[in-house]
Amino acid sequence: HGAEHGNETDENGVQRLFNGALSKMNNRDIMAYNVLVMALKSVCPYRTGNLERNGIRVKIDNGSMCVEIGHDTSKVLGEYAVYTNEPWISPKWGGKQNPNQGWIEQGIEKALPLIRQVYSGMTIDDFNDLMDDLQKQTATRQAEIRRKRKNV
């Protein structure tokens, strides 16, 4: 009975909690959440790769699903993420504009037409191809950033 209350931590309990949250959603919803995550990862700021690897994820909480960016207290999960999207107002930046400002909105805009495709009957093969393409876009962008850093 612990799984219904969120207290059970063994694999079966975790799986039951996960299945309970997902039972309220259909496959299209789950696909759409994953498209949004991958679109955000494909445009997020990149320095160490931590934000892309750990700071953008689907979270299941109290039977509902959401996309979480960053974390309030965990450096590993990107507690700094909020500062990557917002205008720089601290005197520390000397009036410079945050080069990453608006990346979350950019990721959402990128995801919207793809999510429309998901809900328009996208096949699982097309979905898998889309996810692969978004992953390749992320890797290519990160390689370009690393290459530019080397050349500076």
Side-chain angles (χ1 to χ4, degrees), residues 121-131:
M122 176 182 278
T123 67
I124 193 68
D125 288 338
D126 288 342
F127 172 75
N128 288 334
D129 290 345
L130 172 61
M131 297 302 278

Side-chain angles (χ1 to χ4, degrees), residues 64-128:
S64 65
M65 195 177 248
C66 66
V67 173
E68 187 171 74
I69 301 170
H71 194 272
D72 290 343
T73 59
S74 170
K75 191 169 206 138
V76 171
L77 297 178
E79 67 182 356
Y80 51 84
V82 65
Y83 305 109
T84 65
N85 191 60
E86 301 302 322
W88 287 346
I89 55 175
S90 169
K92 167 185 173 180
W93 300 111
K96 293 181 187 171
Q97 182 175 350
N98 179 352
N100 303 305
Q101 186 176 322
W103 72 266
I104 293 173
E105 292 81 3
Q106 181 185 355
I108 292 168
E109 289 299 317
K110 182 175 185 174
L112 284 174
L114 305 173
I115 290 170
R116 283 188 196 98
Q117 290 176 29
V118 165
Y119 284 108
S120 295
M122 176 182 278
T123 67
I124 193 68
D125 288 338
D126 288 342
F127 172 75
N128 288 334

Side-chain angles (χ1 to χ4, degrees), residues 20-30 33 63-65 119:
L22 297 185
S23 68
K24 296 175 184 157
M25 306 184 76
N26 66 44
N27 287 341
R28 299 275 169 207
D29 297 332
I30 296 164
Y33 275 98
S64 65
M65 195 177 248
Y119 284 108

Side-chain angles (χ1 to χ4, degrees), residues 40 43-47 49 51-52 84-85 100 103 141 145:
L40 287 165
V43 299
C44 77
Y46 177 79
R47 191 179 71 185
L51 184 58
E52 182 259 331
T84 65
N85 191 60
N100 303 305
W103 72 266
R141 188 173 148 273
I145 291 168

